[in-house]
Amino acid sequence: MNQTHCKPTFLKIPAQKREKILAVATREFSENGFENTNINLIAKRAGVSVGSIYKYFDTKRELFLTVVQAGIRELERTLEGVYESDKPILSKLESVIRSIQETSRDSALIRLYGGIAAQENASLAREIAHEMESVSAGIYTRLIRQGQERGEIRADIDAGMAAFALDNIFMALQFSYACEYYEERFRVYAGEDILGRDDFVVDQIVRFVKSALQKQEE
């Protein structure tokens, strides 16, 4: 999914107009799923004609992939910024957690990602998942290896498996701030007030990750 899925005309319109169309489309896809989302409604709520939408995208599938790809690029920019900082590894992971807390609440994009696994079109789901997960997998694996090279993380841990475990923690946390089912699940495990205890959540996850990744003092 590395290619651009929109037509060149979409890239030529003002940035504010592009962002509005993508924001509306993200919300509609996240609330209704791919199959049940109506292009006419997206056009109406974005303040453009249906004809304009088809001047920008060949099909609904291309619009959907453009929405997802825009989110992936934003994720990549955020994680690359964390990776390139001079902070210790655990501080970098704390930055990721705080970013999740800031961006996931009432996030249509996170709800959209949560519904990707339920896509009826299996090939579409696989295509999306591959690119999306490749971004986080690559950066988290590099973070673990960087920590190992610095002596901050145990050398006996496989970087890929550690990255997989971290991503599962972070993904669950994203959904816990964005989706009603996962919010309730979060409360069941951590208390009714957990959604208002951000510093506590950060502290506990960092402690858990530290205990798993760092060599214990003898």
Side-chain angles (χ1 to χ4, degrees), residues 7-8 13 19 31 36 43 50-51 62-63 69 71 73-74 83 101 106 125 144 147 154 159 166 168 194 198 205 214:
K7 295 181 181 180
I13 64 176
E19 291 168 3
E31 291 178 355
N36 295 322
V50 176
E62 299 304 300
L63 172 56
Q69 200 166 50
R73 296 287 78 80
E74 182 61 33
Y83 175 79
Q101 290 175 323
D106 195 31
I144 298 298
R154 292 162 47 185
L166 278 177
N168 275 279
I194 193 61
D198 287 2
I205 293 178
Q214 287 193 333

Side-chain angles (χ1 to χ4, degrees), residues 70-85 87 91-104 109-110 113 135-136 139-140 142-143 170 174:
I72 291 172
R73 296 287 78 80
E74 182 61 33
L75 170 66
E76 188 170 28
R77 285 191 291 269
T78 298
L79 292 182
E80 284 289 356
V82 170
Y83 175 79
E84 292 171 3
S85 75
K87 296 178 181 179
S91 295
K92 292 185 179 186
L93 296 179
E94 179 179 335
S95 295
V96 173
I97 297 168
R98 291 195 182 279
S99 177
I100 288 170
Q101 290 175 323
E102 292 171 7
T103 60
S104 296
L109 193 59
I110 299 302
Y113 291 162
V135 169
S136 52
I139 295 177
Y140 293 153
R142 284 159 53 201
L143 271 175
F170 295 157
Q174 284 179 317

Side-chain angles (χ1 to χ4, degrees), residues 6 17 19 27 30 40 48 106 120 134 148 153 168-169 174 187 190 194 214 218:
C6 61
K17 188 174 181 180
E19 291 168 3
R27 186 171 64 250
S30 71
N40 292 353
V48 299
D106 195 31
E120 294 180 6
S134 292
Q148 289 174 325
I153 291 179
N168 275 279
I169 292 172
Q174 284 179 317
R187 294 188 187 98
I194 193 61
Q214 287 193 333
E218 298 181 358

Side-chain angles (χ1 to χ4, degrees):
M1 202 175 72
N2 290 318
Q3 74 271 25
T4 301
H5 293 278
C6 61
K7 295 181 181 180
T9 49
F10 184 63
L11 301 177
K12 294 178 181 178
I13 64 176
Q16 186 175 8
K17 188 174 181 180
R18 287 200 308 272
E19 291 168 3
K20 184 172 183 180
I21 291 170
L22 292 178
V24 170
T26 300
R27 186 171 64 250
E28 293 300 314
F29 283 125
S30 71
E31 291 178 355
N32 303 307
F34 175 75
E35 298 296 339
N36 295 322
T37 292
N38 188 298
I39 288 290
N40 292 353
L41 193 55
I42 290 176
K44 179 180 179 180
R45 291 180 173 173
V48 299
S49 67
V50 176
S52 292
I53 292 291
Y54 285 109
K55 286 181 181 178
Y56 307 146
F57 308 95
D58 282 323
T59 64
K60 182 170 71 170
R61 183 180 187 276
E62 299 304 300
L63 172 56
F64 180 78
L65 291 175
T66 300
V67 165
V68 172
Q69 200 166 50
I72 291 172
R73 296 287 78 80
E74 182 61 33
L75 170 66
E76 188 170 28
R77 285 191 291 269
T78 298
L79 292 182
E80 284 289 356
V82 170
Y83 175 79
E84 292 171 3
S85 75
D86 295 327
K87 296 178 181 179
I89 300 303
L90 286 175
S91 295
K92 292 185 179 186
L93 296 179
E94 179 179 335
S95 295
V96 173
I97 297 168
R98 291 195 182 279
S99 177
I100 288 170
Q101 290 175 323
E102 292 171 7
T103 60
S104 296
R105 286 182 165 91
D106 195 31
S107 171
L109 193 59
I110 299 302
R111 291 195 296 273
L112 173 64
Y113 291 162
I116 284 174
Q119 291 292 333
E120 294 180 6
N121 188 326
S123 64
L124 178 61
R126 282 195 299 270
E127 183 179 1
I128 295 166
H130 180 78
E131 183 169 351
M132 186 187 310
E133 297 301 333
S134 292
V135 169
S136 52
I139 295 177
Y140 293 153
T141 300
R142 284 159 53 201
L143 271 175
I144 298 298
R145 287 176 179 158
Q146 184 183 66
Q148 289 174 325
E149 291 168 2
R150 293 179 178 180
E152 298 176 28
I153 291 179
R154 292 162 47 185
D156 63 332
I157 290 178
D158 179 82
M161 285 302 299
F164 178 69
L166 278 177
D167 189 56
N168 275 279
I169 292 172
F170 295 157
M171 189 163 53
L173 191 62
Q174 284 179 317
F175 295 152
S176 295
Y177 288 111
C179 307
E180 289 183 5
Y181 174 86
Y182 285 95
E183 286 180 3
E184 185 58 30
R185 182 174 179 270
F186 201 13
R187 294 188 187 98
V188 168
Y189 276 90
E192 284 296 321
D193 62 345
I194 193 61
L195 292 171
R197 302 178 66 192
D198 287 2
D199 288 340
F200 173 79
V201 172
V202 173
D203 175 71
Q204 291 299 300
I205 293 178
V206 170
R207 285 174 184 267
F208 181 80
V209 171
K210 179 179 179 180
S211 70
L213 298 183
Q214 287 193 333
K215 183 177 181 180
Q216 300 300 310
E217 297 182 1
E218 298 181 358

